[in-house]
């Protein structure tokens, strides 16, 4: 845990064990399965793998710090930023409310700040270092083509930084919970409808549908016989086989159910 200061406000910064585990797996995957250009260059392979982890770390940190900066702008004290396997979250201190109690405009700005910061970094790097169409960056990172470019360690990592920040921003804008896009969507609904339960109902349904859809698309990785034949260990093994995207889909379903229950409670209590 690290103690940081933002606008003279004390704030804790934590890196969870799950985040360290994921970054370690990403590092070793890129060491043993490097981009084709660097397969016969062990030093470059190590630097690429390390650089990819550092870039992903900084992309997520920048994203969460952007949330914290906007929260501070609205006089909401930040308790901590914590990085986890799926990304991270920024938590307000007790007494400063949460997304359910903030004004929709505040919630919108705070949620939108993270993706905007990643888009901004990607745009700056892209405009400063490249004069090629954007789709070429995706093809270089995914290994489809180099388009005659002389790829070295430095420009590959810059290309990857553009790529990763675009992916982080675009992924977080998907309008499902618990992603920023889901909270942006909910804040817009809260501003448009007087009935608060609607603002929880629609994102909740979207989240459950998206989560179930994602699991369905990955269903070829699941083995019912393994899940039922080996008890709890079979279930855990099957879930691990889904990877990060599988856990994100499960998180979408759980957050969707929580949002639906909240919507039902608000409706039953007659809160508007």
């Amino acid at each position: 845990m690290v103690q940081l200061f933002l606008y003279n406000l004390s704030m804790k910064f934590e890196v969870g064990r799950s985040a360290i585990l994921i970054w370690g797996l990403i590092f070793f995957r890129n060491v043993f399965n490097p981009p084709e250009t660097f397969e016969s260059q062990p030093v470059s392979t190590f630097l690429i793998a390390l650089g990819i982890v550092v870039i992903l770390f900084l992309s997520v940190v920048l994203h969460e710090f952007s949330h914290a900066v906007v929260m501070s702008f609205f006089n909401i004290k930040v308790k901590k930023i914590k990085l986890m396997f799926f990304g991270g979250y920024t938590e307000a201190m007790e007494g400063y409310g949460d997304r359910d109690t903030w004004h929709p405009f505040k919630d919108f700005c705070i949620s939108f700040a993270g993706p905007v910061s990643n888009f901004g970094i990607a745009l700056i790097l892209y405009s400063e270092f490249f004069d090629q169409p954007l789709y070429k960056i995706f093809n270089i990172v995914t290994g489809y083509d180099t388009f005659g470019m002389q790829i070295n360690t430095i420009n590959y990592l810059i290309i990857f930084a553009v790529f990763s920040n675009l992916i982080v921003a675009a992924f977080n804008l998907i309008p499902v919970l618990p992603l920023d896009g889901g909270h942006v969507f909910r804040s817009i609904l809260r501003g448009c409808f007087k009935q608060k339960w609607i603002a929880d109902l629609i994102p909740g349904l979207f989240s459950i549908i998206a989560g179930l859809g994602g699991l369905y698309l990955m269903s070829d990785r699941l083995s019912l016989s393994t899940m039922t034949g080996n008890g709890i260990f079979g279930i855990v093994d099957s879930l691990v086989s889904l990877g990060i995207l599988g856990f994100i889909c499960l998180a979408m379903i759980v957050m969707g159910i929580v949002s639906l229950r909240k919507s039902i409670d608000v409706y039953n209590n007659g809160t508007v």
Side-chain angles (χ1 to χ4, degrees):
M1 182 187 302
V2 179
Q3 192 80 11
L4 300 175
F5 292 90
L6 182 67
Y7 296 156
N8 296 322
L9 298 176
S10 178
M11 176 179 60
K12 296 177 181 177
F13 180 80
E14 298 180 15
V15 178
R17 293 177 181 175
S18 59
I20 296 174
L21 175 62
I22 291 298
W23 292 331
L25 292 174
I26 292 172
F27 173 78
F28 284 110
R29 180 189 180 280
N30 283 280
V31 165
F32 293 106
N33 186 28
E36 186 176 344
T37 308
F38 304 99
E39 284 182 347
S40 59
Q41 306 174 40
V43 175
S44 295
T45 295
F46 175 83
L47 293 176
I48 288 291
L50 182 62
I52 286 174
V53 171
V54 171
I55 288 169
L56 291 174
F57 170 80
L58 292 177
S59 297
V60 176
V61 169
L62 169 71
H63 183 100
E64 296 303 325
F65 270 157
S66 299
H67 290 312
V69 168
V70 179
M71 289 170 67
S72 299
F73 177 79
F74 285 114
N75 296 318
I76 299 172
K77 288 190 176 181
V78 180
K79 179 179 180 181
K80 68 177 179 181
I81 290 176
K82 184 168 184 178
L83 304 187
M84 302 178 69
F85 77 94
F86 57 83
Y89 67 89
T90 306
E91 182 180 347
M93 285 187 177
E94 293 184 10
Y96 287 86
D98 54 26
R99 296 181 186 275
D100 291 329
T101 57
W102 294 335
H103 187 278
F105 179 71
K106 285 185 181 180
D107 192 13
F108 176 88
C109 293
I110 292 168
S111 300
F112 202 50
V116 167
S117 66
N118 293 118
F119 272 129
I121 289 296
L123 180 61
I124 291 171
L125 291 175
Y126 176 71
S127 61
E128 285 293 323
F129 294 99
F130 299 100
D131 57 0
Q132 302 287 336
L134 188 60
Y135 75 89
K136 291 188 177 183
I137 287 178
F138 290 88
N139 286 344
I140 292 171
V141 171
T142 53
Y144 288 121
D145 200 345
T146 62
F147 302 99
M149 292 179 61
Q150 192 68 31
I151 303 299
N152 55 44
T153 303
I154 300 298
N155 64 15
Y156 181 86
L157 289 177
I158 294 173
I159 290 171
F160 184 82
V162 175
F163 174 83
S164 63
N165 275 280
L166 287 175
I167 292 298
V168 169
F171 179 75
N172 272 279
L173 284 178
I174 298 174
V176 296
L177 299 169
L179 302 179
D180 291 328
H183 291 292
V184 168
F185 186 35
R186 192 180 72 159
S187 67
I188 293 173
L189 293 175
R190 287 176 60 200
C192 293
F193 297 97
K194 292 183 178 180
Q195 296 84 357
K196 292 182 179 180
W197 62 271
I198 295 179
D200 289 312
L201 174 67
I202 298 177
L205 289 174
F206 270 41
S207 300
I208 293 174
I209 293 171
L212 291 175
L215 290 178
Y216 175 76
L217 292 176
M218 293 183 286
S219 59
D220 58 326
R221 303 186 195 177
L222 295 175
S223 171
L224 185 61
S225 60
T226 301
M227 295 178 68
T228 56
N230 298 324
I232 185 65
F233 296 104
I235 295 174
V236 172
D237 181 65
S238 297
L239 292 177
V240 170
S241 69
L242 294 176
I244 297 176
L245 290 178
F247 281 102
I248 291 175
C249 289
L250 291 174
M252 288 180 182
I253 295 171
V254 171
M255 289 296 294
I257 293 172
V258 170
S259 187
L260 287 182
R261 289 190 61 182
K262 190 185 300 180
S263 173
I264 293 171
D265 290 340
V266 171
Y267 180 81
N268 289 335
N269 292 334
T271 305
V272 295

